[in-house]
Amino acid sequence: MPHPIRIATSEDYPRIMEIWESAVKATHDFLAKDDFDYFKEIIPRDYLPNLEVYLISDNNNLQGFASVAEGNLEMLFIHNDARGKGLGKELYQFMKEKTNLIKVDVNEQNPQAIGFYEKLGFKQVGRSEKDGSGKNYPIIHMSL
């Protein structure tokens, strides 16, 4: 049975950031503490209010979120406690049907994510030395 997916409101930001923090700590061990704190500050301030963010729930608990802008999957995070249950794939499929999603940028140092998107049919099409914030985290550009 599909899990409920709905659009996020500003009241959801604290839980979104809990999900983000849980997912990042589990999968982005390469992220420096200063950069972690930087993203923790700018995501709710600069990103979330300007994106259409969708939330997926499991047993009435918000467990993941995703957003697409201009065909790019800007974010897809699942709480570490809920990983491996298919929520990420379900949320991805929802976003793909709802938007013109064709590409995603993934941290090169996050091989789990690269593998996840490869299974969904993405191919590596390029690489950047720095991330979108100009920080020294190489990015793999992937496209369907």
Side-chain angles (χ1 to χ4, degrees):
M1 198 172 105
H3 292 85
I5 296 176
R6 67 168 173 84
I7 200 140
T9 68
S10 55
E11 283 89 76
D12 296 311
Y13 292 1
R15 178 59 180 163
I16 287 172
M17 294 312 296
E18 281 174 18
I19 294 167
W20 177 84
E21 194 165 324
S22 158
V24 167
K25 283 183 171 164
T27 58
H28 294 58
D29 52 8
F30 53 85
L31 197 61
K33 168 120 180 55
D34 288 355
D35 293 327
F36 178 87
D37 293 341
Y38 165 80
F39 288 118
K40 194 174 172 176
E41 188 180 315
I42 68 160
I43 289 170
R45 188 187 70 208
D46 301 341
Y47 287 95
L48 298 180
N50 298 307
L51 291 167
E52 201 168 70
V53 179
Y54 287 88
L55 302 165
I56 190 165
S57 299
D58 186 30
N59 294 327
N60 293 323
N61 279 332
L62 294 175
Q63 296 289 19
F65 67 94
S67 182
V68 171
E70 294 168 6
N72 195 59
L73 183 61
E74 295 292 336
M75 42 180 85
L76 192 162
F77 290 94
I78 301 297
H79 196 286
N80 194 44
D81 297 345
R83 279 175 58 208
K85 295 182 178 176
L87 293 171
K89 188 173 182 187
E90 195 177 327
L91 189 52
Y92 164 79
Q93 299 288 6
F94 173 88
M95 297 306 286
K96 189 163 183 317
E97 284 163 28
K98 188 147 192 67
T99 67
N100 56 347
L101 162 56
I102 51 159
K103 53 190 196 286
V104 64
D105 290 340
V106 185
N107 288 101
E108 186 175 65
Q109 294 146 293
N110 187 354
Q112 284 178 315
I114 294 170
F116 173 79
Y117 291 113
E118 283 175 339
K119 277 194 201 121
L120 293 170
F122 284 83
K123 302 265 183 291
Q124 297 189 23
V125 293
R127 181 180 184 275
S128 300
E129 274 301 318
K130 295 183 187 302
D131 71 9
S133 301
K135 296 186 180 292
N136 288 316
Y137 298 107
I139 295 293
I140 300 295
H141 305 291
M142 303 183 80
S143 187
L144 287 173

Short mmCIF file of all heavy atoms in Angstrom, two decimals, residues 28-79:
data_model
loop_
_atom_site.label_atom_id
_atom_site.label_comp_id
_atom_site.label_asym_id
_atom_site.label_seq_id
_atom_site.Cartn_x
_atom_site.Cartn_y
_atom_site.Cartn_z
N HIS A 28 26.65 11.01 5.00
CA HIS A 28 27.60 12.05 4.57
C HIS A 28 28.69 12.23 5.62
O HIS A 28 28.93 13.33 6.11
CB HIS A 28 26.88 13.39 4.37
CG HIS A 28 25.90 13.42 3.26
ND1 HIS A 28 24.83 12.57 3.18
CD2 HIS A 28 25.81 14.22 2.17
CE1 HIS A 28 24.13 12.85 2.09
NE2 HIS A 28 24.70 13.85 1.47
N ASP A 29 29.38 11.13 5.95
CA ASP A 29 30.40 11.22 7.01
C ASP A 29 31.58 12.09 6.57
O ASP A 29 32.42 12.44 7.37
CB ASP A 29 30.86 9.83 7.45
CG ASP A 29 31.29 8.96 6.27
OD1 ASP A 29 31.37 9.47 5.13
OD2 ASP A 29 31.56 7.77 6.50
N PHE A 30 31.63 12.47 5.31
CA PHE A 30 32.71 13.29 4.78
C PHE A 30 32.46 14.79 5.03
O PHE A 30 33.34 15.61 4.82
CB PHE A 30 32.83 13.07 3.25
CG PHE A 30 31.53 13.26 2.52
CD1 PHE A 30 31.12 14.52 2.11
CD2 PHE A 30 30.70 12.17 2.26
CE1 PHE A 30 29.90 14.69 1.45
CE2 PHE A 30 29.49 12.34 1.61
CZ PHE A 30 29.10 13.61 1.21
N LEU A 31 31.26 15.15 5.48
CA LEU A 31 30.89 16.55 5.64
C LEU A 31 31.53 17.11 6.91
O LEU A 31 31.31 16.60 8.00
CB LEU A 31 29.35 16.66 5.73
CG LEU A 31 28.70 18.01 5.50
CD1 LEU A 31 29.01 18.55 4.11
CD2 LEU A 31 27.20 17.90 5.69
N ALA A 32 32.31 18.17 6.75
CA ALA A 32 32.95 18.83 7.90
C ALA A 32 31.88 19.45 8.81
O ALA A 32 30.84 19.89 8.33
CB ALA A 32 33.91 19.90 7.41
N LYS A 33 32.17 19.51 10.10
CA LYS A 33 31.20 20.03 11.07
C LYS A 33 30.76 21.46 10.71
O LYS A 33 29.57 21.78 10.78
CB LYS A 33 31.80 19.99 12.49
CG LYS A 33 31.00 20.77 13.53
CD LYS A 33 30.50 19.91 14.66
CE LYS A 33 29.70 20.66 15.72
NZ LYS A 33 28.56 21.43 15.24
N ASP A 34 31.69 22.31 10.31
CA ASP A 34 31.33 23.69 9.94
C ASP A 34 30.37 23.71 8.78
O ASP A 34 29.44 24.53 8.74
CB ASP A 34 32.59 24.49 9.54
CG ASP A 34 33.45 24.83 10.75
OD1 ASP A 34 33.04 24.53 11.89
OD2 ASP A 34 34.54 25.39 10.55
N ASP A 35 30.59 22.83 7.81
CA ASP A 35 29.71 22.79 6.64
C ASP A 35 28.35 22.21 7.01
O ASP A 35 27.32 22.67 6.53
CB ASP A 35 30.37 21.98 5.51
CG ASP A 35 31.61 22.69 4.97
OD1 ASP A 35 31.63 23.94 4.97
OD2 ASP A 35 32.56 22.00 4.59
N PHE A 36 28.35 21.21 7.88
CA PHE A 36 27.10 20.65 8.38
C PHE A 36 26.27 21.77 9.02
O PHE A 36 25.08 21.93 8.74
CB PHE A 36 27.39 19.53 9.39
CG PHE A 36 26.17 18.91 10.00
CD1 PHE A 36 25.52 17.86 9.39
CD2 PHE A 36 25.66 19.40 11.20
CE1 PHE A 36 24.38 17.30 9.95
CE2 PHE A 36 24.52 18.84 11.77
CZ PHE A 36 23.88 17.78 11.14
N ASP A 37 26.92 22.56 9.90
CA ASP A 37 26.22 23.65 10.58
C ASP A 37 25.74 24.71 9.59
O ASP A 37 24.65 25.27 9.75
CB ASP A 37 27.14 24.29 11.63
CG ASP A 37 27.45 23.33 12.77
OD1 ASP A 37 26.71 22.34 12.96
OD2 ASP A 37 28.45 23.56 13.48
N TYR A 38 26.55 24.97 8.57
CA TYR A 38 26.18 25.93 7.54
C TYR A 38 24.90 25.49 6.82
O TYR A 38 23.95 26.27 6.70
CB TYR A 38 27.34 26.07 6.54
CG TYR A 38 27.00 26.74 5.23
CD1 TYR A 38 26.92 28.13 5.14
CD2 TYR A 38 26.77 25.98 4.09
CE1 TYR A 38 26.60 28.74 3.93
CE2 TYR A 38 26.45 26.58 2.88
CZ TYR A 38 26.37 27.96 2.80
OH TYR A 38 26.06 28.56 1.61
N PHE A 39 24.87 24.24 6.38
CA PHE A 39 23.68 23.75 5.66
C PHE A 39 22.47 23.69 6.59
O PHE A 39 21.35 24.00 6.18
CB PHE A 39 23.95 22.37 5.05
CG PHE A 39 24.86 22.44 3.85
CD1 PHE A 39 26.09 21.80 3.87
CD2 PHE A 39 24.50 23.14 2.72
CE1 PHE A 39 26.95 21.87 2.77
CE2 PHE A 39 25.35 23.22 1.62
CZ PHE A 39 26.58 22.59 1.64
N LYS A 40 22.70 23.34 7.84
CA LYS A 40 21.60 23.25 8.81
C LYS A 40 20.94 24.63 8.98
O LYS A 40 19.74 24.72 9.23
CB LYS A 40 22.15 22.74 10.15
CG LYS A 40 21.08 22.30 11.11
CD LYS A 40 21.68 21.67 12.34
CE LYS A 40 20.62 21.41 13.38
NZ LYS A 40 21.14 20.71 14.54
N GLU A 41 21.73 25.66 8.83
CA GLU A 41 21.20 27.02 8.94
C GLU A 41 20.51 27.48 7.65
O GLU A 41 19.43 28.05 7.69
CB GLU A 41 22.35 27.97 9.29
CG GLU A 41 21.89 29.37 9.61
CD GLU A 41 23.06 30.30 9.95
OE1 GLU A 41 23.95 29.88 10.72
OE2 GLU A 41 23.08 31.42 9.43
N ILE A 42 21.17 27.24 6.50
CA ILE A 42 20.61 27.82 5.26
C ILE A 42 19.45 27.02 4.68
O ILE A 42 18.62 27.59 3.98
CB ILE A 42 21.69 28.05 4.17
CG1 ILE A 42 22.25 26.73 3.64
CG2 ILE A 42 22.77 28.99 4.65
CD1 ILE A 42 22.93 26.89 2.29
N ILE A 43 19.37 25.72 4.94
CA ILE A 43 18.29 24.94 4.32
C ILE A 43 16.92 25.47 4.72
O ILE A 43 16.11 25.80 3.85
CB ILE A 43 18.46 23.42 4.58
CG1 ILE A 43 19.64 22.88 3.77
CG2 ILE A 43 17.18 22.66 4.20
CD1 ILE A 43 20.06 21.47 4.11
N PRO A 44 16.62 25.61 6.04
CA PRO A 44 15.29 26.13 6.39
C PRO A 44 15.11 27.60 6.05
O PRO A 44 13.98 28.05 5.82
CB PRO A 44 15.19 25.90 7.90
CG PRO A 44 16.57 25.68 8.38
CD PRO A 44 17.39 25.20 7.22
N ARG A 45 16.21 28.35 5.99
CA ARG A 45 16.10 29.79 5.75
C ARG A 45 16.00 30.13 4.26
O ARG A 45 15.15 30.93 3.85
CB ARG A 45 17.33 30.49 6.34
CG ARG A 45 17.24 32.01 6.33
CD ARG A 45 18.55 32.64 6.77
NE ARG A 45 19.59 32.46 5.76
CZ ARG A 45 20.90 32.40 6.04
NH1 ARG A 45 21.32 32.48 7.29
NH2 ARG A 45 21.78 32.25 5.06
N ASP A 46 16.88 29.50 3.45
CA ASP A 46 17.00 29.90 2.05
C ASP A 46 16.41 28.91 1.06
O ASP A 46 15.98 29.30 -0.02
CB ASP A 46 18.48 30.11 1.69
CG ASP A 46 19.13 31.18 2.55
OD1 ASP A 46 18.40 31.99 3.16
OD2 ASP A 46 20.37 31.19 2.64
N TYR A 47 16.44 27.63 1.40
CA TYR A 47 16.01 26.61 0.44
C TYR A 47 14.53 26.26 0.58
O TYR A 47 13.76 26.39 -0.36
CB TYR A 47 16.84 25.33 0.57
CG TYR A 47 18.24 25.48 0.03
CD1 TYR A 47 19.31 25.80 0.87
CD2 TYR A 47 18.51 25.28 -1.32
CE1 TYR A 47 20.59 25.94 0.37
CE2 TYR A 47 19.79 25.41 -1.82
CZ TYR A 47 20.83 25.75 -0.98
OH TYR A 47 22.09 25.89 -1.47
N LEU A 48 14.14 25.78 1.76
CA LEU A 48 12.78 25.25 1.93
C LEU A 48 11.68 26.25 1.54
O LEU A 48 10.74 25.88 0.85
CB LEU A 48 12.58 24.74 3.36
CG LEU A 48 13.48 23.58 3.79
CD1 LEU A 48 13.19 23.17 5.23
CD2 LEU A 48 13.35 22.38 2.85
N PRO A 49 11.79 27.54 1.94
CA PRO A 49 10.70 28.46 1.59
C PRO A 49 10.57 28.70 0.08
O PRO A 49 9.52 29.15 -0.38
CB PRO A 49 11.09 29.77 2.30
CG PRO A 49 12.09 29.39 3.34
CD PRO A 49 12.80 28.18 2.80
N ASN A 50 11.62 28.40 -0.67
CA ASN A 50 11.62 28.67 -2.11
C ASN A 50 11.40 27.42 -2.96
O ASN A 50 11.47 27.49 -4.18
CB ASN A 50 12.94 29.34 -2.51
CG ASN A 50 13.09 30.67 -1.81
OD1 ASN A 50 12.21 31.52 -1.88
ND2 ASN A 50 14.19 30.86 -1.11
N LEU A 51 11.17 26.29 -2.31
CA LEU A 51 10.98 25.04 -3.04
C LEU A 51 9.62 24.44 -2.69
O LEU A 51 9.07 24.69 -1.62
CB LEU A 51 12.07 24.04 -2.63
CG LEU A 51 13.49 24.34 -3.08
CD1 LEU A 51 14.47 23.44 -2.35
CD2 LEU A 51 13.64 24.18 -4.59
N GLU A 52 9.10 23.65 -3.63
CA GLU A 52 7.91 22.85 -3.34
C GLU A 52 8.42 21.53 -2.78
O GLU A 52 8.99 20.72 -3.51
CB GLU A 52 7.14 22.64 -4.65
CG GLU A 52 5.69 22.29 -4.45
CD GLU A 52 4.90 22.37 -5.74
OE1 GLU A 52 5.13 21.50 -6.62
OE2 GLU A 52 4.08 23.28 -5.89
N VAL A 53 8.24 21.35 -1.49
CA VAL A 53 8.79 20.19 -0.80
C VAL A 53 7.66 19.22 -0.48
O VAL A 53 6.61 19.62 0.02
CB VAL A 53 9.51 20.61 0.51
CG1 VAL A 53 10.08 19.40 1.24
CG2 VAL A 53 10.62 21.62 0.20
N TYR A 54 7.89 17.94 -0.79
CA TYR A 54 6.91 16.89 -0.50
C TYR A 54 7.43 15.99 0.61
O TYR A 54 8.62 15.69 0.67
CB TYR A 54 6.61 16.08 -1.76
CG TYR A 54 5.78 16.86 -2.73
CD1 TYR A 54 6.38 17.69 -3.67
CD2 TYR A 54 4.39 16.80 -2.70
CE1 TYR A 54 5.62 18.44 -4.55
CE2 TYR A 54 3.62 17.54 -3.57
CZ TYR A 54 4.23 18.36 -4.50
OH TYR A 54 3.46 19.12 -5.36
N LEU A 55 6.49 15.56 1.46
CA LEU A 55 6.82 14.73 2.62
C LEU A 55 6.16 13.36 2.48
O LEU A 55 5.03 13.27 2.02
CB LEU A 55 6.26 15.38 3.89
CG LEU A 55 6.75 16.79 4.18
CD1 LEU A 55 5.87 17.44 5.23
CD2 LEU A 55 8.19 16.76 4.64
N ILE A 56 6.87 12.34 2.91
CA ILE A 56 6.30 10.98 2.93
C ILE A 56 6.24 10.52 4.38
O ILE A 56 7.16 10.77 5.16
CB ILE A 56 7.12 10.00 2.05
CG1 ILE A 56 6.37 8.67 1.90
CG2 ILE A 56 8.54 9.80 2.57
CD1 ILE A 56 6.90 7.78 0.78
N SER A 57 5.10 9.90 4.74
CA SER A 57 4.88 9.42 6.11
C SER A 57 4.81 7.91 6.15
O SER A 57 4.41 7.26 5.18
CB SER A 57 3.54 9.95 6.65
OG SER A 57 3.57 11.35 6.68
N ASP A 58 5.20 7.37 7.29
CA ASP A 58 5.07 5.95 7.58
C ASP A 58 4.51 5.85 8.99
O ASP A 58 5.11 6.40 9.92
CB ASP A 58 6.45 5.28 7.47
CG ASP A 58 6.36 3.77 7.61
OD1 ASP A 58 5.33 3.19 7.23
OD2 ASP A 58 7.33 3.17 8.11
N ASN A 59 3.37 5.20 9.14
CA ASN A 59 2.70 5.13 10.46
C ASN A 59 2.54 6.51 11.10
O ASN A 59 2.85 6.71 12.27
CB ASN A 59 3.49 4.22 11.41
CG ASN A 59 3.45 2.78 10.93
OD1 ASN A 59 2.47 2.35 10.35
ND2 ASN A 59 4.53 2.06 11.17
N ASN A 60 2.04 7.46 10.31
CA ASN A 60 1.80 8.83 10.79
C ASN A 60 3.06 9.59 11.21
O ASN A 60 2.95 10.65 11.82
CB ASN A 60 0.78 8.86 11.94
CG ASN A 60 -0.60 8.44 11.46
OD1 ASN A 60 -1.00 8.78 10.34
ND2 ASN A 60 -1.32 7.71 12.27
N ASN A 61 4.23 9.07 10.90
CA ASN A 61 5.48 9.78 11.17
C ASN A 61 6.07 10.27 9.86
O ASN A 61 6.23 9.48 8.93
CB ASN A 61 6.52 8.85 11.82
CG ASN A 61 6.30 8.71 13.30
OD1 ASN A 61 5.78 9.61 13.94
ND2 ASN A 61 6.71 7.57 13.84
N LEU A 62 6.41 11.54 9.79
CA LEU A 62 7.10 12.05 8.61
C LEU A 62 8.49 11.44 8.58
O LEU A 62 9.25 11.57 9.54
CB LEU A 62 7.20 13.58 8.66
CG LEU A 62 5.88 14.32 8.58
CD1 LEU A 62 6.09 15.82 8.77
CD2 LEU A 62 5.19 14.05 7.25
N GLN A 63 8.81 10.74 7.49
CA GLN A 63 10.08 10.01 7.42
C GLN A 63 10.97 10.42 6.26
O GLN A 63 12.09 9.94 6.15
CB GLN A 63 9.81 8.50 7.34
CG GLN A 63 9.12 7.92 8.56
CD GLN A 63 10.01 7.86 9.79
OE1 GLN A 63 11.03 8.53 9.89
NE2 GLN A 63 9.61 7.05 10.76
N GLY A 64 10.47 11.27 5.37
CA GLY A 64 11.31 11.67 4.26
C GLY A 64 10.75 12.88 3.55
O GLY A 64 9.58 13.23 3.72
N PHE A 65 11.63 13.53 2.76
CA PHE A 65 11.18 14.68 1.98
C PHE A 65 11.97 14.76 0.68
O PHE A 65 13.06 14.21 0.57
CB PHE A 65 11.29 15.98 2.79
CG PHE A 65 12.71 16.40 3.11
CD1 PHE A 65 13.39 17.30 2.30
CD2 PHE A 65 13.35 15.92 4.23
CE1 PHE A 65 14.68 17.70 2.60
CE2 PHE A 65 14.64 16.31 4.55
CZ PHE A 65 15.31 17.21 3.73
N ALA A 66 11.37 15.43 -0.28
CA ALA A 66 12.01 15.59 -1.59
C ALA A 66 11.51 16.86 -2.25
O ALA A 66 10.42 17.35 -1.94
CB ALA A 66 11.70 14.38 -2.49
N SER A 67 12.32 17.37 -3.17
CA SER A 67 11.92 18.54 -3.93
C SER A 67 12.61 18.52 -5.28
O SER A 67 13.75 18.08 -5.40
CB SER A 67 12.31 19.81 -3.17
OG SER A 67 11.88 20.94 -3.89
N VAL A 68 11.89 19.00 -6.29
CA VAL A 68 12.41 19.10 -7.66
C VAL A 68 12.28 20.55 -8.11
O VAL A 68 11.25 21.19 -7.86
CB VAL A 68 11.62 18.18 -8.62
CG1 VAL A 68 12.00 18.44 -10.08
CG2 VAL A 68 11.87 16.72 -8.27
N ALA A 69 13.32 21.08 -8.74
CA ALA A 69 13.25 22.41 -9.34
C ALA A 69 13.89 22.34 -10.72
O ALA A 69 15.00 21.84 -10.86
CB ALA A 69 13.96 23.44 -8.47
N GLU A 70 13.16 22.82 -11.71
CA GLU A 70 13.67 22.86 -13.10
C GLU A 70 14.23 21.51 -13.54
O GLU A 70 15.28 21.43 -14.15
CB GLU A 70 14.73 23.96 -13.24
CG GLU A 70 14.13 25.34 -13.06
CD GLU A 70 15.18 26.43 -12.90
OE1 GLU A 70 16.38 26.12 -13.05
OE2 GLU A 70 14.80 27.57 -12.65
N GLY A 71 13.50 20.44 -13.22
CA GLY A 71 13.88 19.11 -13.68
C GLY A 71 14.98 18.46 -12.87
O GLY A 71 15.38 17.33 -13.14
N ASN A 72 15.50 19.17 -11.86
CA ASN A 72 16.58 18.63 -11.04
C ASN A 72 16.03 18.22 -9.67
O ASN A 72 15.35 19.01 -9.02
CB ASN A 72 17.67 19.71 -10.86
CG ASN A 72 18.97 19.11 -10.33
OD1 ASN A 72 19.55 18.23 -10.95
ND2 ASN A 72 19.40 19.58 -9.18
N LEU A 73 16.35 17.00 -9.26
CA LEU A 73 15.96 16.54 -7.93
C LEU A 73 16.89 17.25 -6.94
O LEU A 73 18.05 16.90 -6.81
CB LEU A 73 16.11 15.02 -7.83
CG LEU A 73 15.67 14.38 -6.51
CD1 LEU A 73 14.19 14.62 -6.24
CD2 LEU A 73 15.96 12.88 -6.53
N GLU A 74 16.37 18.29 -6.31
CA GLU A 74 17.20 19.13 -5.44
C GLU A 74 17.53 18.42 -4.14
O GLU A 74 18.60 18.62 -3.57
CB GLU A 74 16.48 20.45 -5.13
CG GLU A 74 16.26 21.34 -6.34
CD GLU A 74 17.55 21.91 -6.90
OE1 GLU A 74 18.55 22.01 -6.17
OE2 GLU A 74 17.56 22.25 -8.10
N MET A 75 16.58 17.64 -3.63
CA MET A 75 16.82 16.93 -2.38
C MET A 75 15.89 15.75 -2.28
O MET A 75 14.75 15.80 -2.73
CB MET A 75 16.66 17.86 -1.17
CG MET A 75 15.50 18.82 -1.24
SD MET A 75 15.38 19.89 0.23
CE MET A 75 16.47 21.21 -0.17
N LEU A 76 16.41 14.67 -1.71
CA LEU A 76 15.61 13.50 -1.36
C LEU A 76 16.32 12.88 -0.16
O LEU A 76 17.43 12.38 -0.30
CB LEU A 76 15.51 12.51 -2.52
CG LEU A 76 14.46 11.39 -2.34
CD1 LEU A 76 14.12 10.76 -3.68
CD2 LEU A 76 14.87 10.31 -1.37
N PHE A 77 15.69 12.99 1.00
CA PHE A 77 16.28 12.47 2.23
C PHE A 77 15.25 11.62 2.97
O PHE A 77 14.09 12.00 3.06
CB PHE A 77 16.73 13.62 3.15
CG PHE A 77 17.91 14.38 2.62
CD1 PHE A 77 17.75 15.53 1.87
CD2 PHE A 77 19.21 13.94 2.88
CE1 PHE A 77 18.85 16.23 1.38
CE2 PHE A 77 20.31 14.63 2.39
CZ PHE A 77 20.13 15.78 1.64
N ILE A 78 15.71 10.50 3.50
CA ILE A 78 14.88 9.61 4.31
C ILE A 78 15.54 9.49 5.68
O ILE A 78 16.77 9.34 5.76
CB ILE A 78 14.77 8.20 3.65
CG1 ILE A 78 14.16 8.29 2.24
CG2 ILE A 78 13.97 7.24 4.54
CD1 ILE A 78 12.73 8.80 2.17
N HIS A 79 14.71 9.57 6.74
CA HIS A 79 15.25 9.43 8.10
C HIS A 79 16.00 8.10 8.22
O HIS A 79 15.55 7.08 7.70
CB HIS A 79 14.11 9.50 9.12
CG HIS A 79 14.59 9.75 10.52
ND1 HIS A 79 15.21 8.78 11.26
CD2 HIS A 79 14.54 10.86 11.29
CE1 HIS A 79 15.54 9.29 12.45
NE2 HIS A 79 15.14 10.55 12.49
#
